[in-house]
Amino acid sequence: MEAKPDNKVSDGIDGPLWMFWKRRRYVVVFMAFLGFFNVYSLRVNLSVAIVAMTENRTVHYEDGTVGYEQYFDWSSSLQGYVLSSFFYGYICTPFLGGFISNRFGGNYVFGVGIGVTAVLTLLTPLAAKAGVAVLFVVRIIEGIFEGVTFPCIHAVWSRWAPPNERSRMASIAFAGNYAGTVVAMPLSGVLANAWGWESVFYVFGAIGCVWFVAWMFIVKSSPEVDKWITPREKEFILESLGRTEGELEKVRHPWKGILTSVAVWALVVSHFSENWGFYTLLTQLPTFLKEAMHFELEKTGFISAVPYLVMGILLFVSGILADWCQEKGYLTTTQVRRYFNCGAFLAQTVFMIIGAFILEPGPTITCITIAVGFGAFAWSGFAVNHLDLSPKSAGVLMGISNTFATIPGIVSPIITGYITSNKSDDEWKTVFYIAAGIYLVGCVVYWFFASGELQPWSIEAQERLALEQQQTTEKQAPPIEKLAYSNKVNVEDEM
């Protein structure tokens, strides 16, 4: 059973929490923030680049005539398949990432997952020119390696995050997702206009490679093996987690308890619901702004980034507010998860419906921005909930929920591609109404079945493991009587 932290215990660091460089655990948070920046910049750049890759461009022919051509003559439905291909691979590895991160260290798997994706991003222009089938394969492989990232980071938090700092540490790191989106969307539009669509992949791929080298050098699997951490901070983290230095961290995952837990499945439904709306906008917003709102390519990148800028800022607020409510005793952990998550879902449902109903550039973009922004509070609900239910199995739990939550990334772009085949306003309204309905379902399920408490099946599994380890130790040790007799014989022989 995880020890409850003593709020009065200090980590011995002289300085406020915002001075992250003074605390190794917040250096890990900062590097994870940059990691998730790369996760999403590598993921969303195609959403903007594909507009440049498929739009009609003016071409001046040798005979003096002027015409219009596309780099790639892809239909809207084929574009939907291209955008969703990443998630065919992504859905295969979240569970695997959660499992292997406990064995090899979440930091290593997290780094390799993003590093390989960065290298493949550099190869994306060659793949696209070789044919849409080759591009499909490259994007699927990218998804396979990125699929491990979210489960692995939960394995990192299980070793680095004191319970009363989980919400803020995880939220700050996850804010990198939206920082990456905010930077990648407008910058992709600028790069595509200035140097061609290929430059989008070269720039972000190179940034990802630089981060990979830094992450592997700076971040260690746990405080015990970090040579730069102060002894007091290491002691503070281990005490808050109920561990001692050198303790064997063997984990037994209670599969029956996990798969039959109502709280786990409420978490899965919530994760699925949030990702449906998120992936719909992430992959389709630039196209929506161009087709329905009639913005130019460069403007679509900047406007598409605004909702994620708001969400990134609010993630800091929601994480700190969630921890504060728990520390002050105003809300229990279960209440924090439920109120933050379901309040966000209700707001997202309402504003998605209003934005779709009005369908005018100013009001609709405002409603989308508010809806996406409220998603930050949902991330302080379901996205941290894995650590509440079972800290030692949090990576596996994130792997399970993220596997189901990847389905929207596959299905939503394809469905949207078919629904919007005629590019009419009514078709786009349908897309938003579907997202709003799914948010509402997630809200209802999570409200009634969510929990923020350490689950009995998690406690029992670790207690059984500890008992087995104790019994094994006792069997290997010689009995007291035999040891005493052996000592007596040795003494008599010497005499």
Side-chain angles (χ1 to χ4, degrees):
M1 184 173 183
E2 300 298 318
K4 293 184 178 180
D6 182 357
N7 293 336
K8 297 181 181 179
V9 175
S10 170
D11 60 6
I13 306 297
D14 183 20
L17 285 177
W18 64 265
M19 293 183 177
F20 70 89
W21 56 89
K22 290 190 173 185
R23 292 172 169 84
R24 285 301 295 173
R25 64 189 186 278
Y26 281 96
V27 171
V28 174
V29 170
F30 176 69
M31 290 301 298
F33 170 90
L34 296 179
F36 281 116
F37 175 97
N38 282 287
V39 165
Y40 268 74
S41 65
L42 297 172
R43 187 181 303 187
V44 306
N45 51 25
L46 182 60
S47 299
V48 178
I50 200 169
V51 179
M53 294 163 73
T54 57
E55 72 174 352
N56 286 320
R57 58 192 177 93
T58 304
V59 179
H60 298 274
Y61 298 109
E62 293 181 358
D63 60 2
T65 59
V66 177
Y68 298 94
E69 291 182 0
Q70 297 171 285
Y71 285 107
F72 302 100
D73 184 16
W74 296 338
S75 66
S76 62
S77 58
L78 181 57
Q79 290 179 49
Y81 280 107
V82 170
L83 290 170
S84 69
S85 59
F86 172 92
F87 298 99
Y88 300 158
Y90 189 85
I91 199 173
C92 298
T93 51
F95 178 79
L96 178 63
F99 184 76
I100 63 176
S101 62
N102 284 117
R103 179 161 298 185
F104 300 106
N107 61 316
Y108 297 118
V109 187
F110 186 74
V112 171
I114 299 173
V116 174
T117 305
V119 172
L120 292 172
T121 298
L122 293 171
L123 300 176
T124 298
L126 289 175
K129 292 174 182 177
V132 70
V134 179
L135 178 61
F136 262 73
V137 171
V138 169
R139 292 290 291 180
I140 289 171
I141 298 173
E142 284 185 27
I144 288 172
F145 279 92
E146 267 206 17
V148 304
T149 52
F150 280 90
C152 287
I153 205 63
H154 267 20
V156 173
W157 300 145
S158 71
R159 299 183 181 188
W160 278 97
N164 270 10
E165 297 180 17
R166 283 173 184 164
S167 293
R168 78 188 69 174
M169 290 177 70
S171 296
I172 291 170
F174 289 146
N177 297 337
Y178 309 104
T181 304
V182 167
V183 172
M185 281 191 162
L187 186 57
S188 294
V190 171
L191 291 171
N193 276 335
W195 293 289
W197 61 267
E198 298 95 334
S199 64
V200 174
F201 302 101
Y202 296 144
V203 169
F204 289 107
I207 293 172
C209 290
V210 171
W211 172 88
F212 167 73
V213 174
W215 170 269
M216 298 302 286
F217 176 74
I218 294 172
V219 177
K220 306 304 177 184
S221 60
S222 68
E224 296 98 315
V225 296
D226 191 318
K227 64 182 180 181
W228 293 293
I229 194 171
T230 65
R232 182 66 195 105
E233 185 185 5
K234 176 169 64 175
E235 182 183 355
F236 168 76
I237 295 172
L238 295 178
E239 285 180 355
S240 71
L241 296 174
R243 287 167 44 202
T244 57
E245 186 170 359
E247 179 183 351
L248 182 62
E249 284 203 309
K250 187 177 180 181
V251 179
R252 167 170 287 176
H253 301 296
W255 298 111
K256 182 180 178 181
I258 290 172
L259 297 176
T260 58
S261 172
V262 174
V264 169
W265 289 108
L267 170 58
V268 169
V269 171
S270 183
H271 201 165
F272 178 96
S273 301
E274 175 62 23
N275 274 20
W276 184 282
F278 180 76
Y279 283 141
T280 297
L281 293 174
L282 191 70
T283 59
Q284 301 297 329
L285 191 54
T287 304
F288 166 74
L289 292 173
K290 184 173 178 61
E291 293 181 355
M293 302 287 101
H294 310 295
F295 287 104
E296 295 299 322
L297 172 62
E298 191 166 342
K299 289 184 178 179
T300 65
F302 281 98
I303 296 171
S304 298
V306 172
Y308 302 103
L309 174 61
V310 173
M311 188 175 189
I313 294 171
L314 289 179
L315 265 171
F316 289 92
V317 176
S318 69
I320 293 171
L321 183 60
D323 282 339
W324 180 78
C325 289
Q326 290 177 261
E327 289 171 359
K328 296 296 183 181
Y330 298 141
L331 297 173
T332 66
T333 303
T334 298
Q335 289 172 330
V336 167
R337 304 300 178 230
R338 182 180 289 137
Y339 296 165
F340 276 56
N341 196 84
C342 296
F345 277 12
L346 279 177
Q348 289 177 302
T349 301
V350 170
F351 284 101
M352 289 288 270
I353 291 174
I354 294 174
F357 181 77
I358 298 173
L359 211 65
E360 293 290 337
T364 297
I365 293 171
T366 300
C367 286
I368 290 173
T369 300
I370 295 173
V372 172
F374 267 103
F377 292 90
W379 279 81
S380 289
F382 78 85
V384 193
N385 202 188
H386 313 77
L387 290 160
D388 304 322
L389 303 181
S390 181
K392 293 184 183 298
S393 297
V396 167
L397 292 179
M398 175 58 96
I400 293 171
S401 73
N402 207 31
T403 297
F404 285 95
T406 302
I407 295 173
I410 298 172
V411 177
S412 177
I414 295 173
I415 290 177
T416 303
Y418 280 108
I419 290 174
T420 61
S421 58
N422 296 318
K423 301 177 175 58
S424 70
D425 289 354
D426 287 339
E427 290 173 339
W428 281 107
K429 285 184 179 182
T430 301
V431 172
F432 286 105
Y433 289 149
I434 291 172
I438 293 175
Y439 277 135
L440 187 59
V441 171
C443 175
V444 172
V445 171
Y446 197 79
W447 179 267
F448 286 105
F449 302 109
S451 173
E453 303 303 318
L454 183 65
Q455 296 298 288
W457 41 263
S458 179
I459 300 171
E460 292 168 4
Q462 296 313 313
E463 286 178 346
R464 286 197 302 270
L465 179 61
L467 180 61
E468 289 178 7
Q469 289 177 328
Q470 180 182 354
Q471 291 173 343
T472 301
T473 303
E474 290 175 352
K475 287 180 180 179
Q476 292 174 346
I480 296 176
E481 294 81 2
K482 290 183 178 180
L483 185 61
Y485 177 77
S486 176
N487 291 337
K488 181 180 179 180
V489 171
N490 289 337
V491 172
E492 290 176 350
D493 289 345
E494 290 176 1
M495 291 176 64

